[in-house]
Amino acid sequence: DAGVTQSPTHLIKTRGQQVTLRCSPKSGHDTVSWYQQALGQGPQFIFQYYEEEERQRGNFPDRFSGHQFPNYSSELNVNALLLGDSALYLCASSPRRVGEQFFGPGTRLTVL
Amino acid sequence: AQSVTQPDIHITVSEGASLELRCNYSYGATPYLFWYVQSPGQGLQLLLKYFSGDTLVQGIKGFEAEFKRSQSSFNLRKPSVHWSDAAEYFCAVGASGSSNTGKLIFGQGTTLQVKP
């Protein structure tokens, strides 16, 4: 049983560009949450998707958006990248909206 | 508002010694509590969780944690540390009951270094 998978592993972008990160949840899980982890910090909640809708959002600007597909996979989009967006982006899935969360390995985004 | 404090940013212990990592939380009711471990460049692995019931919970890799409501704490312990335990440890809190939305609030993390 594959766990949570994320792609790509690493990404380098320049300021002002746009980026899309992808996540496939663990088999049997229908809820995906996204977290941003800056260097030396704990993960911070970005938003959660369930039944293809954004259900809850953390304190992140509208430049951060997402999508969930019918197969429960998800994308995180960030527009107009800033240097401060450089971080490890973690995807977590759970078997239902409030279930235990399993994390993927993350995507390391570097903004130059 | 929910919050998590991990008072120790960095801890060094000798291999074979006991370990205790501190975690204090702020939440209006009994929360869901978690400890995760993160190796360099990796995602988070769940060590253990507390939802309800017995306040002493056992996890993987020989870790345990005790929920103390009176102290708003959920400290992680291990009786004998192995060199492979060197990693970053995160305590997290989630809302419980009808307020549970699945969102986790993480502490800043504690870096564990193990001396041979």
Side-chain angles (χ1 to χ4, degrees), chain A residues 33 35 37 40-43 45 48 56 58 88 90 97-98 100-101 103-106, chain B residues 32 34 36 38 41-44 46 49 51 90 100-104 106-109:
Chain A
S33 300
Y35 293 80
Q37 185 179 18
Q41 303 294 318
F45 177 79
Q48 180 190 77
Q56 191 179 14
L88 180 68
L90 296 164
R97 192 175 165 207
V98 296
E100 176 182 322
Q101 295 185 29
F103 283 80
Chain B
Y32 290 161
F34 307 83
Y36 285 88
Q38 185 177 39
Q42 302 298 313
L44 303 175
L46 181 67
K49 61 184 183 286
F51 282 179
F90 292 96
N100 191 347
T101 61
K103 170 184 175 180
L104 295 180
F106 286 84
Q108 192 169 358

Side-chain angles (χ1 to χ4, degrees), chain B residues 10-90:
Chain B
H10 193 109
I11 283 184
T12 300
V13 300
S14 297
E15 190 169 15
S18 64
L19 171 71
E20 182 170 33
L21 302 182
R22 296 184 290 165
C23 173
N24 295 99
Y25 67 89
S26 174
Y27 183 64
T30 300
Y32 290 161
L33 295 162
F34 307 83
W35 274 99
Y36 285 88
V37 61
Q38 185 177 39
S39 298
Q42 302 298 313
L44 303 175
Q45 181 182 21
L46 181 67
L47 287 175
L48 47 77
K49 61 184 183 286
Y50 173 78
F51 282 179
S52 65
D54 193 348
T55 56
L56 184 63
V57 294
Q58 302 296 321
I60 62 172
K61 304 185 180 186
F63 286 93
E64 66 177 26
E66 185 172 13
F67 169 60
K68 292 186 177 180
R69 184 193 308 271
S70 61
Q71 299 177 19
S72 297
S73 69
F74 188 57
N75 294 348
L76 182 71
R77 301 193 294 248
K78 186 170 185 177
S80 177
V81 170
H82 187 263
W83 64 266
S84 61
D85 293 325
E88 187 86 13
Y89 290 81
F90 292 96

